[in-house]
Amino acid sequence: MFLQRSEAGKAFQLVRESTRENVSTVLWASGALGSKGEILEIPVDSATQRITFTFSVDTKGGKLQLKQPSGQLIGEGSAQTEDTELNCGRIVTVAPPAAGIWRAEITGSGTFWLEAEAQSEIYFVSSEFVKVGGRPGHEGLFRIQGQPLAGPPATLQASLSAAQTRTNDFSLVNQRGEMIQKMHMKAENSDREFLEFTGSVGLPSVPFRVAVTGRDLHDKQYQRFFAPLFHAESVEVSPKLGFDELAPGSTKQAVFAVRNLGQARTFKVTVTDARRFVTKVEPKDMTLGAGQSGMVHVELAVPAGTATGSGDDLVILAASTSGAATTNSSVVHLLVTSRP
């Protein structure tokens, strides 16, 4: 949000509403405003206890009008509503909201952002791309490092709090909140309070979010977005460590593989860690041909006085500096322990 210093206190409404229990994203849309503005439809289900609409625009003069399913405008003084006007945005909380299709009408110029967050028993528990891994005889699906890879279909695993729903239909949506493609997801269990789905999906060439829609127990339409933005990349960063523990006073070398799935190009490698154990990274730049991999060696030195039980997140990022733009990363959690 674009706030003036005097408006910082008003934004606490968004902080308060976003940190309630079981808050999930109903809509997240962003784009450039045209001369005709934007009209967005937002389904509000009967399980929603509160909903907060957060509008922001990067130029002054942008306006958001909210219409309830009855067609009545939400304005200052509306019943059960907290309405905060900002120079470049607006925050509206309604508790409880009327179930049905709400309309957001946006006018002005520049780039806008609109998010609707609901407190409800319908919400994403998780949504992540996975691959088969584990020891022989103990294989399973494990979350991948970084972003999914462009090319072959990827495997998506999602968990949904779905006790208040009758149907669950998954899709991918773009940054404007518009559907890109539907997905076939198979339910892996029958516990609707923690319903798990798995499916294979071809990845679009644009950034996307995972969405689920359907009908609730009262036959009202619901919609949920998994808020993080995914994007298919053509470089992969994989940890090749044989350890996850570090001893005080020790020095170890962590190895990562960088694989280029696109045409030949050069990559810049950046490595950071919270406790600054990293003392050397080689190489910091690498040129890889199509399908070629290279190894990055990271030296870690743990000071002798480091307390056992301390954790350190080691983050490596590879970003192309030539050819088609692509970036991916890997994160490894290491634990300082007194064990040799």
Side-chain angles (χ1 to χ4, degrees):
M1 300 197 71
F2 299 89
L3 300 174
Q4 295 187 357
R5 187 180 299 272
S6 61
E7 296 178 320
K10 294 181 179 180
F12 184 74
Q13 177 185 347
L14 175 60
V15 176
R16 183 192 67 225
E17 296 300 326
S18 298
T19 53
R20 293 182 184 274
E21 290 186 352
N22 302 341
V23 170
S24 58
T25 301
V26 177
L27 176 76
W28 192 323
S30 177
L33 284 168
S35 58
K36 295 182 179 179
E38 291 281 338
I39 297 177
L40 302 172
E41 293 190 342
I42 306 159
V44 175
D45 52 85
S46 58
T48 295
Q49 304 161 33
R50 325 170 54 87
I51 190 165
T52 296
F53 303 90
T54 305
F55 167 66
S56 183
V57 65
D58 62 1
T59 58
K60 288 185 178 182
K63 294 294 182 182
L64 166 69
Q65 285 192 325
L66 278 175
K67 287 185 178 180
Q68 302 180 67
S70 64
Q72 182 178 357
L73 278 173
I74 290 288
E76 186 176 351
S78 293
Q80 302 168 319
T81 299
E82 182 178 357
D83 193 349
T84 300
E85 288 282 358
L86 303 167
N87 279 287
C88 293
R90 185 182 179 190
I91 306 170
V92 179
T93 300
V94 184
I101 304 299
W102 289 60
R103 287 167 60 93
E105 299 179 359
I106 303 171
T107 56
S109 60
T111 300
F112 77 92
W113 293 263
L114 178 66
E115 184 182 17
E117 286 188 312
Q119 184 179 25
S120 167
E121 292 303 314
I122 305 173
Y123 57 90
F124 269 107
V125 177
S126 65
S127 182
E128 55 193 21
F129 287 93
V130 296
K131 63 180 180 179
V132 176
R135 303 189 309 274
H138 299 276
E139 294 90 350
L141 293 174
F142 294 86
R143 182 174 63 86
I144 66 168
Q145 290 281 350
Q147 293 288 340
L149 300 177
T155 301
L156 179 70
Q157 193 171 66
S159 297
L160 186 69
S161 175
Q164 296 296 315
T165 71
R166 285 180 177 169
T167 61
N168 317 108
D169 302 311
F170 288 84
S171 62
L172 303 182
V173 298
N174 62 19
Q175 289 177 279
R176 297 186 76 93
E178 302 162 335
M179 182 189 295
I180 302 173
Q181 64 191 61
K182 294 181 179 180
M183 289 187 294
H184 176 68
M185 298 285 282
K186 179 184 176 183
E188 300 293 343
N189 65 341
S190 58
D191 180 4
R192 299 197 66 82
E193 290 187 5
F194 190 76
L195 197 54
E196 295 186 340
F197 298 85
T198 304
S200 179
V201 57
L203 301 180
S205 59
V206 296
F208 62 92
R209 291 185 170 91
V210 177
V212 61
T213 59
R215 294 285 173 176
D216 66 16
L217 294 182
H218 294 90
D219 203 37
K220 293 294 185 180
Q221 184 180 345
Y222 78 89
Q223 174 177 284
R224 296 293 184 270
F225 286 7
F226 188 68
L229 193 66
F230 293 106
H231 38 93
E233 298 291 352
S234 55
V235 61
E236 180 182 35
V237 181
S238 304
K240 302 295 180 182
L241 284 69
F243 61 90
D244 57 9
E245 295 181 345
L246 300 168
S250 68
T251 300
K252 281 199 173 185
Q253 188 178 84
V255 180
F256 294 84
V258 177
R259 181 165 67 107
N260 176 29
L261 283 75
Q263 297 300 311
R265 50 194 159 181
T266 300
F267 294 91
K268 179 181 180 180
V269 177
T270 305
V271 180
T272 59
D273 73 317
R275 294 190 171 271
R276 300 185 180 180
F277 293 162
V278 174
T279 56
K280 184 186 295 185
V281 178
E282 290 184 345
K284 293 184 178 180
D285 296 279
M286 54 173 56
T287 299
L288 301 173
Q292 186 179 4
S293 297
M295 297 297 177
V296 177
H297 300 267
V298 181
E299 187 173 285
L300 301 163
V302 186
T306 304
T308 59
S310 302
D312 189 34
D313 287 325
L314 180 62
V315 183
I316 176 171
L317 182 143
S320 61
T321 56
S322 67
T326 186
T327 302
N328 219 333
S329 62
S330 182
V331 181
V332 175
H333 183 73
L334 302 171
L335 182 67
V336 177
T337 175
S338 59
R339 287 178 288 185

